[in-house]
Amino acid sequence: MQCLKTARAARAFARMKVFQPGAMEWGAAQTRIHLLDLSRGGALVYAQQPPAVGSIVRFVEPACLSAARVVWARGKRFGVAFAAPISDALIDMVIAEQERLADDLVKRPPLQR
């Protein structure tokens, strides 16, 4: 995966571009999500109905990610800051799972019509 370079180069941790489906919960709500980028300190997430800024969220899938707080939201995208930085090994696990899912899609037989 490639590191994202943005005008906000002063970020504490490098961001990795990903496209990983998953699930997240906050309060009594649970929703499907897509991780769009990931760093040791947080993530960019997409959801049809994102949580409000300030919400504490828990990743159901990928479950290896820690609890986080929503720090900004714009449309269906929002940024979360992890309660504690995650390790590079956990980022590698998420990327490996993303690659496995992509490989599984390629190996599926075509749909019969």
Side-chain angles (χ1 to χ4, degrees):
M1 297 295 124
Q2 76 186 76
C3 286
L4 298 178
K5 293 182 182 177
T6 69
R8 298 180 191 175
R11 293 186 188 278
F13 301 108
R15 302 172 112 191
M16 301 300 289
K17 184 175 176 149
V18 296
F19 188 74
Q20 170 93 21
M24 174 182 282
E25 62 185 19
W26 64 96
Q30 186 178 75
T31 191
R32 292 174 52 180
I33 60 160
H34 275 89
L35 289 175
L36 302 177
D37 79 32
L38 182 63
S39 77
R40 292 190 64 216
L44 172 62
V45 186
Y46 170 92
Q48 282 292 323
Q49 295 182 330
V53 172
S55 296
I56 302 300
V57 299
R58 184 180 73 81
F59 287 89
V60 176
E61 186 64 36
C64 63
L65 298 179
S66 65
R69 181 176 51 84
V70 178
V71 293
W72 65 267
R74 207 168 298 122
K76 295 179 181 184
R77 292 179 174 212
F78 57 101
V80 298
F82 296 130
I86 62 173
S87 69
D88 289 333
L90 284 179
I91 291 174
D92 291 344
M93 284 175 53
V94 171
I95 291 169
E97 176 65 8
Q98 173 182 295
E99 291 170 354
R100 186 194 64 74
L101 290 170
D103 287 347
D104 287 351
L105 285 174
V106 171
K107 294 175 188 174
R108 283 187 186 171
L111 294 174
Q112 299 295 321
R113 293 193 173 184

